Amino acid sequence: MFDESALNTAVASVFCNKAAVWTSPAGTVGIMVALTVLPIYDETTFKIMGESITAGCPYTPIAAMQRNDTLTIGAVTYNVLAVTHDSADWATIALEKQ
């Protein structure tokens, strides 16, 4: 029988390679995330106008994460804009640099 939970754990252990500290009114929690930073281009000039920043991780440890919490990865602190998750217990966290 296929064990989706075991597969998700294995995938998370490979891709979630950035140590992060999640800070909320309840306190701080250390988590591991996969960080993605993509440029946002102007459609006509192709100049970089900004960045799209997301972090991914298993959902269960961050189920209480909310907008305006912070996530510190390395020396950079980000504001949490939104948290979404899928049926495979994977969360995508939209971030904005402080």
Side-chain angles (χ1 to χ4, degrees), residues 6-68:
L7 176 62
N8 289 342
T9 300
V11 168
S13 69
V14 171
F15 290 104
C16 294
N17 59 0
K18 300 283 185 192
V21 176
W22 162 34
T23 304
S24 72
T28 60
V29 177
I31 60 173
M32 296 297 288
V33 299
L35 184 66
T36 304
V37 179
L38 299 172
I40 299 173
Y41 293 98
D42 179 277
E43 292 179 10
T44 56
T45 65
F46 298 105
K47 290 183 180 180
I48 296 175
M49 308 226 7
E51 298 173 320
S52 171
I53 307 166
T54 59
C57 66
Y59 177 70
T60 303
I62 61 138
M65 185 178 280
Q66 298 179 30
R67 181 177 176 83
N68 296 325

Side-chain angles (χ1 to χ4, degrees), residues 4-5 8-9 12 16 56-63 84-92:
E4 186 176 2
S5 178
N8 289 342
T9 300
C16 294
C57 66
Y59 177 70
T60 303
I62 61 138
T84 57
H85 72 283
D86 61 22
S87 61
D89 194 44
W90 187 258
T92 300

